[in-house]
Amino acid sequence: MPRPLVRLGASDPLAVLRGLEAALAGGPALLPVAEGVPALPTPAPADVEQRVALVVETSGSTGTGKRVALSSEALLAGAAAADAALGGPGGWVLALPTHYIAGLNVLTRSIAAGTTPSVVAPGHFEAGAFADAADQLATGPAAPRRYTSLVPVQLARVLDDPRATAALAGFDAVLVGGQSTPGPLRERAVAAGVHVVTTYGASETSGGCVYDGQPFGTVRTELVDGELLLHGPMLAEGYLGDADRTAATFVERDGLRWYRTGDAATLDDGRVRVLGRLDDVIISGGEKVPLGLVERHVRELPGQDAAVVTRRDSGEWGEVPVVVTATPLDLDTVRAHVGAALGRAARPAEVLVVDRVPMLASGKPDRRAIRALVADR
């Protein structure tokens, strides 16, 4: 029989926690929604299949809107495997929005551990508020460890604040994901005594399922024509109301169900290195240039932790990389740095300095807005 789907505003994280706890126990399925954000064109259904416990709604940073349907089994399997990889369950500081899978992951793991997360007030992230939440985090004998999950820009802000940095250094692990973590930022965190664990995953995998490049638990990886595929018990049921997209994204291979990530990657003795989106490769002067890889090298430069690389049409070259940053950056410097690592075609054609790089509520760059900025020039 169908299961009712309850929409709940994500501005109250503890209300979302209670709704998710009920959903995992067999109650109504939960759809947390961001308030003040335009709804997807198609209304969400009133009911879902019985197996669905959670629906994650996102317009994405580059793609079209989707509603990812997740079962209790997938969510709890992902949480259990993650806890095992980290060394055991613990108490969490919640610093991410609870309509995104990363924030919902924190809630799921708190529920599984029997702990209540300490919440950083939703809205503009501040290092002082994070330090306050860390001070208030209580752990018990059953879950004595301390964890949090951040995106790179949040980590950078914490490291700019001595009190917040000292608090962060007391955590057993700090998960950092949502986008690639610049090498200099990670080195800065490690130097401050912070145990950083970089994560990779998606709503379709119940959140992070690869830690520091290593798939955890029973997660399996495979490359098909350069695209990373993932298999494991944490996979989503599919997309609500979109059977064609579900069939194209979740595929059968050798009797197993796999998730096509849409990411280009390499596998070295099982270690995953994500290069960027397959659909974010440009042809510049007849050569393929992965913008994600260009961005990774740009972020190695001092002060460019949050720089974004996008594309621009070029009558001479077809398309060229463009750097968008809120921190001044010399074009010759970035061209030399990127060119030395990736070749002439990958060298950015322009540096666009803006007051603020457009961001989504999740802390990820709003790549559609960034591309529009560049196109309007």
Side-chain angles (χ1 to χ4, degrees):
M1 60 182 293
R3 189 176 188 178
L5 178 63
V6 175
R7 291 174 59 93
L8 185 63
S11 60
D12 184 348
L14 294 182
V16 177
L17 173 70
R18 293 189 293 270
L20 181 58
E21 189 170 23
L24 292 174
L30 177 67
L31 170 56
V33 293
E35 297 172 5
V37 175
L40 297 185
T42 305
D47 301 298
V48 293
E49 294 182 5
Q50 187 63 37
R51 280 186 55 80
V52 176
L54 175 68
V55 176
V56 181
E57 184 176 272
T58 174
S59 60
S61 58
T62 59
T64 56
K66 57 187 178 182
R67 293 186 178 100
V68 182
L70 294 154
S71 68
S72 298
E73 290 82 2
L75 291 163
L76 294 173
D83 283 346
L86 294 173
W92 288 79
V93 167
L94 173 65
L96 297 169
T98 55
H99 62 285
Y100 283 100
I101 191 61
L104 290 162
N105 240 326
V106 170
L107 299 186
T108 302
R109 295 173 190 184
S110 297
I111 292 167
T115 61
T116 299
S118 180
V119 178
V120 179
H124 181 69
F125 179 86
E126 295 182 352
F130 176 86
D132 291 341
D135 289 344
Q136 295 166 9
L137 178 62
T139 57
R145 300 172 68 81
R146 291 158 58 89
Y147 302 122
T148 192
S149 183
L150 305 173
V151 294
V153 67
Q154 291 175 319
L155 176 60
R157 289 177 185 170
V158 168
L159 293 176
D160 287 336
D161 183 286
R163 176 171 163 253
T165 300
L168 201 64
F171 282 68
D172 292 275
V174 177
L175 309 187
V176 184
Q179 56 188 293
S180 63
T181 303
L185 178 62
R186 179 167 186 165
E187 292 166 7
R188 186 180 167 204
V190 171
V194 177
H195 179 201
V196 170
V197 177
T198 57
T199 74
Y200 172 79
S203 299
E204 290 87 344
T205 61
S206 301
C209 60
V210 177
Y211 283 177
D212 288 335
Q214 297 290 345
F216 58 56
T218 57
V219 175
R220 291 176 56 179
T221 59
E222 188 172 304
L223 286 182
V224 177
D225 296 329
E227 180 181 14
L228 178 64
L229 273 62
L230 297 170
H231 163 76
M234 71 300 170
L235 292 189
E237 300 294 295
Y239 302 105
L240 287 188
D242 198 337
D244 290 342
R245 189 175 196 171
T246 298
T249 305
F250 296 90
V251 297
E252 295 287 334
R253 288 180 58 84
D254 301 324
L256 299 176
R257 185 168 181 263
W258 296 81
Y259 164 58
R260 296 183 56 191
T261 66
D263 286 326
T266 60
L267 297 177
D268 184 9
D269 290 332
R271 187 176 183 84
V272 178
R273 182 169 183 257
V274 177
L275 304 178
R277 299 292 297 172
L278 283 170
D279 59 4
D280 213 14
V281 175
I282 65 171
I283 305 296
S284 187
E287 296 186 40
K288 291 184 178 181
V289 176
L291 296 182
L293 200 53
V294 177
E295 183 173 285
R296 185 173 301 173
H297 284 279
V298 171
R299 289 181 174 189
E300 292 175 351
L301 295 169
Q304 298 302 323
D305 293 346
V308 174
V309 173
T310 188
R311 66 181 72 201
R312 189 191 70 197
D313 291 337
S314 167
E316 182 178 6
W317 302 106
E319 289 186 303
V320 291
V322 173
V323 179
V324 178
T325 177
T327 305
L329 175 63
D330 179 68
L331 178 60
D332 290 337
T333 298
V334 72
R335 282 173 62 83
H337 181 71
V338 172
L342 302 177
R344 291 174 57 87
R347 297 181 305 177
E350 181 185 0
V351 172
L352 175 59
V353 180
V354 296
D355 291 334
R356 179 179 175 274
V357 175
M359 306 290 284
L360 298 169
S362 62
K364 296 181 183 181
D366 187 338
R367 295 188 184 274
R368 282 182 291 178
I370 291 167
R371 190 175 296 177
L373 275 177
V374 172
D376 288 343
R377 284 180 56 82

